[in-house]
Amino acid sequence: EVQLVESGGGLVQPGGSLRLSCAASGFAFSNYAMAWLRQAPGKGLEWVSTISSSGTTNYADSVKGRFTISRDNAKNTLYLQMNSLKPEDTAVYYCRAMGQKGQGTQVTVSS
């Protein structure tokens, strides 16, 4: 059974940073691409970033240059380092693998 557990969200001021984590289990983590998605209040699910099994990364234009996705295959963990946060980054952030996503972690950017 695929399990994805996100953590690391919280309240941060504009310009601040957060690092999200996603602990994965139930599948061969190192063999699969992983992604971060987000859903802002009243909006649909938005793709944020993807990292392939070989480490190739891609980012949505809205976060490029501010967010960094990474993975630790030894720990079966996915990360999202978020810098220079903006109020429009406020959302529930989910990690996704094999068509499934976790329960999400709330990120709120506000002064």
Side-chain angles (χ1 to χ4, degrees), residues 19-54:
R19 188 175 84 152
L20 306 184
S21 300
C22 172
S25 61
F27 65 103
F29 179 83
S30 62
N31 291 348
Y32 289 89
M34 299 289 296
W36 286 100
L37 312 172
R38 67 186 181 184
Q39 187 164 22
K43 296 189 176 181
L45 207 56
E46 175 191 18
W47 169 74
V48 174
S49 181
T50 300
I51 184 167
S52 73
S53 58
S54 62

Side-chain angles (χ1 to χ4, degrees), residues 47-79:
W47 169 74
V48 174
S49 181
T50 300
I51 184 167
S52 73
S53 58
S54 62
T56 301
T57 59
N58 287 284
Y59 299 92
D61 287 344
S62 59
V63 307
K64 200 172 293 182
R66 300 188 298 121
F67 290 11
T68 303
I69 190 172
S70 62
R71 64 193 299 161
D72 185 335
N73 290 336
K75 295 182 178 180
N76 285 1
T77 302
L78 176 72
Y79 301 101

